[in-house]
Amino acid sequence: MSPRGRPDKREAILRTAFTVFAREGYAQATLDAIAAEARVAKHTIYNHFGDKQTLLRAALTAEADLARAKNMAAVDLLRDCVGDPRPALEAVGLRVIQCFCDDGGWALRRLFYAELPQFPDLLDIIEGRAASPVTEALADRLARLALAGQLRLTDPSAAAEQLSALLTGSLESRGRFGTRRIPEDEMRAVARAAVDTFLHAFGGERR
Amino acid sequence: MSPRGRPDKREAILRTAFTVFAREGYAQATLDAIAAEARVAKHTIYNHFGDKQTLLRAALTAEADLARAKNMAAVDLLRDCVGDPRPALEAVGLRVIQCFCDDGGWALRRLFYAELPQFPDLLDIIEGRAASPVTEALADRLARLALAGQLRLTDPSAAAEQLSALLTGSLESRGRFGTRRIPEDEMRAVARAAVDTFLHAFGGERR
DNA sequence: ACTATGATGCACTCGCCAGTGCAAAAAGGA
DNA sequence: TCCTTTTTGCACTGGCGAGTGCATCATAGT
């Protein structure tokens, strides 16, 4: 199952397809438009992907991989955390929020959400490639911190879930569902507030 | 601007249109299908709404009103709260979670999210009719509790935001984005955990 | 230079669907 | 009952877009 055709064209198609799909929606997006915007002949797209559905899956998979990589890099900031976990958590929080709010983040969630009923298998792509690995990685980091006595928690997965909820929960409405750009200061404030609440519940030191 | 036609037909069209739009997506949904499923002639739809876009807006507006009503009823449970706020908060949390997870909730969010780029004005419909009023109402209730000394908080809106985030943040993935039915017990557990964390941060009594 | 593989441009088919027109049938109010 | 308004069924148009076929061009390896 080796990928057919020139790899540079292939990647140009994937990137363009994702942006067009996200901007116009799967049904409204025309292969002619994607071909034009990617500076490629329509036939080339069919050479590489066969049909429109396959192109959608491929484009979404690629973007999901990208999103996972960015988020994993953010969570990994917790690896070298010594002493007070608050600054590290805030840094990670900010990075996670930035991933959530960048163009790819909004577009990925929108496209996924929109086309899920038509393509139920997108669920496996997204969950397996982006969502689950990231929260599990975060849970791992929190477990280590707990073991080091810097957090007080029994269920790392549950704590990770709540931390991500606190971080990203308000962003949809704050960012007007992708139509508004959230300023850096606001992101930092959200991260700070989220970590503050999180540490009230799971912080190691008694108050 | 009196609504044309028989009102019963009108409502049947609205309900059916919403379900079909949510199930198939705006572009894939055909007016013939909606007409058939609503047991109505296609012409009747055009009599009432003029064209497909108007129908989408009307259907989405109606469902948003419904969602707001349900959520407001849930939040209002905090009105008659005396003594320990925990049980009341958990009750409200459960109700809010149920609203979020019922068929209408999933469908409304999906459809809104999916068609937002094509119809930017959906943002005003959803924000004005559903999202904002509910979180503001919740903020009002929290402010009253704070004034009564049962919570310790300075910014009711921020607290309301965090509480909703804790309640609903994990539901998207737990419910597999609408493809899985969350059992009642799990909802109750989520509500309990959310309120627990919330009270660690904003509870009135010192620990 | 030669050849194979992929890229391009263009024209074309085929199916689908929003929206329309018309004439007949209900429904409802006086 | 009569008249008006709404609903119905059906046939039709017009446009749009996925996917194909074919001939031609570019490119890379040998």
Side-chain angles (χ1 to χ4, degrees):
Chain A
M1 219 203 242
S2 65
R4 311 215 166 262
R6 304 227 180 317
D8 50 332
K9 300 278 177 186
R10 184 188 174 87
E11 203 182 333
I13 295 172
L14 275 179
R15 258 211 317 270
T16 310
F18 177 77
T19 47
V20 175
F21 278 143
R23 183 190 343 128
E24 324 256 353
Y26 173 76
Q28 343 270 342
T30 79
L31 283 194
D32 293 283
I34 296 175
E37 201 157 324
R39 321 283 225 129
V40 146
K42 186 162 63 159
H43 254 23
T44 309
I45 301 184
Y46 283 98
N47 267 349
H48 280 271
F49 301 99
D51 66 354
K52 203 183 175 186
Q53 306 196 1
T54 309
L55 177 60
L56 173 70
R57 280 183 248 266
L60 213 130
T61 303
E63 192 72 19
D65 284 335
L66 195 68
R68 184 197 55 225
K70 284 198 265 189
N71 275 281
M72 292 297 248
V75 171
D76 256 27
L77 291 184
L78 277 179
R79 266 221 156 73
D80 24 75
C81 165
V82 293
D84 183 12
R86 184 182 296 262
L89 284 173
E90 283 183 6
V92 170
L94 179 61
R95 294 281 295 271
V96 167
I97 289 177
Q98 283 167 336
C99 292
F100 191 94
C101 288
D102 70 8
D103 293 329
W106 290 113
L108 184 60
R109 285 193 305 283
R110 162 138 50 219
L111 188 55
F112 164 63
Y113 222 102
E115 308 305 339
L116 183 56
Q118 318 290 325
F119 306 98
D121 54 306
L122 296 186
L123 205 158
D124 306 301
I125 297 179
I126 290 301
E127 265 209 333
R129 301 209 163 231
S132 296
V134 172
T135 60
E136 272 318 299
L138 180 57
D140 288 347
R141 297 336 311 159
L142 297 183
R144 293 300 193 99
L145 290 179
L147 211 55
Q150 290 167 353
L151 291 180
R152 182 163 29 98
L153 52 83
T154 57
D155 185 343
S157 294
E161 240 175 22
Q162 287 200 334
L163 179 54
S164 346
L166 284 167
L167 285 169
T168 62
S170 71
L171 295 179
E172 302 270 359
S173 67
R174 277 178 193 272
R176 294 267 164 86
F177 302 90
T179 64
R180 172 184 170 255
R181 199 135 202 110
I182 302 181
E184 180 98 2
D185 293 357
E186 190 174 342
M187 292 188 192
R188 226 181 295 270
V190 171
R192 175 182 291 271
V195 170
D196 199 60
T197 293
F198 179 80
L199 285 180
H200 270 97
F202 300 104
E205 340 87 27
R206 312 270 146 169
R207 275 161 319 281
Chain B
M1 218 203 245
S2 65
R4 313 209 166 264
R6 305 226 177 319
D8 50 333
K9 299 277 178 186
R10 184 186 175 87
E11 204 183 334
I13 294 172
L14 275 179
R15 258 210 318 272
T16 310
F18 176 78
T19 47
V20 175
F21 278 143
R23 186 197 329 135
E24 323 255 354
Y26 173 77
Q28 343 270 342
T30 78
L31 284 194
D32 293 284
I34 296 175
E37 203 158 321
R39 321 284 225 128
V40 148
K42 186 164 61 159
H43 254 24
T44 309
I45 301 184
Y46 282 97
N47 268 348
H48 280 270
F49 301 99
D51 66 354
K52 203 185 175 185
Q53 305 195 2
T54 310
L55 177 60
L56 173 70
R57 280 184 249 267
L60 213 131
T61 303
E63 192 72 17
D65 285 334
L66 196 68
R68 186 197 55 226
K70 284 197 264 189
N71 276 282
M72 291 299 248
V75 171
D76 255 27
L77 292 183
L78 277 179
R79 266 222 155 72
D80 24 74
C81 164
V82 293
D84 183 13
R86 185 183 294 264
L89 283 173
E90 283 183 5
V92 170
L94 179 61
R95 294 280 296 270
V96 167
I97 288 176
Q98 283 168 337
C99 292
F100 191 94
C101 288
D102 69 9
D103 293 329
W106 289 112
L108 183 60
R109 285 193 306 282
R110 161 137 50 218
L111 188 54
F112 164 62
Y113 222 101
E115 308 305 338
L116 183 56
Q118 318 289 324
F119 307 98
D121 55 303
L122 296 187
L123 206 158
D124 306 300
I125 297 180
I126 290 300
E127 263 209 334
R129 302 209 163 231
S132 296
V134 172
T135 60
E136 272 318 298
L138 179 57
D140 288 347
R141 294 341 306 160
L142 296 183
R144 294 301 192 98
L145 290 179
L147 211 58
Q150 290 167 353
L151 292 180
R152 180 162 32 97
L153 52 84
T154 58
D155 184 343
S157 294
E161 239 175 23
Q162 288 201 333
L163 179 54
S164 344
L166 285 168
L167 285 169
T168 62
S170 72
L171 296 179
E172 301 270 359
S173 66
R174 278 178 192 272
R176 296 266 164 89
F177 302 90
T179 63
R180 172 183 170 255
R181 199 134 202 110
I182 302 180
E184 181 98 2
D185 294 356
E186 190 174 342
M187 292 189 192
R188 224 182 296 270
V190 171
R192 175 182 290 270
V195 170
D196 200 59
T197 293
F198 179 79
L199 286 179
H200 270 97
F202 301 104
E205 340 89 23
R206 311 270 147 169
R207 273 162 320 282

